[in-house]
Each structure stands twice: as C-alpha cells, then as structure tokens.
Amino acid sequence: VNDNPSPYKITLSGTLKSPKLNFDPPFLIMMPVPLDVETEADINIIPQDYLRQSQIHVELPQIELEDGDRICPFSVQFPKGLDIVVSSDGKSNQLICHISFRSSKPVSFLGNMCFIDEEEN
C-alpha cells in the first residue's frame, strides 16, 4: 500500500451456488380425458440462488403416434409472466405455470418438459 511492500497476505474464499428451479408438485399426472377435451393443471416454479433477473423458457415434448404422425398436445402459459425477479433481500419470486393437454388422437405419454433460463440452467 502506498508503494510500500507489505508483509500481509489476504486469502479470500467463497461458495458459488448455481441457480436452479424447484417444482411444486415435483411431478404432474394429468387426468385421462375424451378426445379433443382439454385437461389442465398448475405448478409452482420456485427459483433458487438467482443473483440477477432471468427469464424462463419451456421446451415442450413432441409425441410420435402409432401412425408416425408427430403432435405437441401440450401448451403452457405463465399468468404472472416468465421473469425471475430477485428482490433486494436476495429472494426470487415464484412463478405459476399453467399446463394444458388436448389431443384429437388417442395418446398416452410419460416424459419431461424442460424448463430452462436464459443461461441454460
């Protein structure tokens, strides 16, 4: 300091947590419905360890039918928006995701929807 060599050594350490998303409920079972009838459910997305605002994107699965056709019978809406907002106390807002399913052809499906943020977490 001030052009004087100093015998002091400073060591810094810390922990960096990767942002992640938790879901309530952790998995979703949608009720069987007749053809062309919509079934729907809401899930809460709970962001953790976000340091800055981000936005959620969803990759919806395509389903291959027995005849070879591919359909995407799912749709999602975020009634309060897609943005993860971090408050001054470091906590992130919860997001509500409304998931709908409708198909004009018989289908049964077990799979994943991918929820990712802008940095692909």
Side-chain angles (χ1 to χ4, degrees):
V1 180
N2 296 333
D3 296 325
N4 286 329
S6 173
Y8 300 104
K9 182 178 179 181
I10 297 175
T11 303
L12 302 174
S13 65
T15 303
L16 178 63
K17 295 182 179 181
S18 294
K20 63 182 178 180
L21 300 172
N22 289 319
F23 298 88
D24 181 32
F27 60 91
L28 186 61
I29 298 173
M30 299 186 92
M31 297 302 297
V33 291
L35 295 178
D36 275 330
V37 173
E38 187 172 80
T39 184
E40 52 195 8
D42 288 340
I43 59 171
N44 291 315
I45 300 173
I46 305 145
Q48 290 188 320
D49 301 322
Y50 277 82
L51 300 176
R52 61 181 172 267
Q53 183 170 328
S54 190
Q55 194 173 70
I56 297 291
H57 302 279
V58 183
E59 294 176 0
L60 298 174
Q62 284 193 350
I63 300 170
E64 185 171 343
L65 303 174
E66 290 180 4
D67 63 5
D69 285 348
R70 297 185 71 80
I71 62 169
C72 185
F74 295 98
S75 64
V76 295
Q77 294 178 339
F78 290 83
K80 295 184 179 179
L82 299 164
D83 293 329
I84 297 171
V85 180
V86 181
S87 64
S88 59
D89 63 0
K91 294 185 179 180
S92 301
N93 62 315
Q94 288 190 19
L95 303 172
I96 297 171
C97 180
H98 183 78
I99 301 172
S100 301
F101 174 90
R102 178 188 297 233
S103 178
S104 60
K105 296 185 178 181
V107 64
S108 179
F109 174 75
L110 173 64
N112 297 316
M113 286 184 182
C114 234
F115 293 81
I116 55 176
D117 66 19
E118 293 171 341
E119 296 180 13
E120 298 189 12
N121 292 307

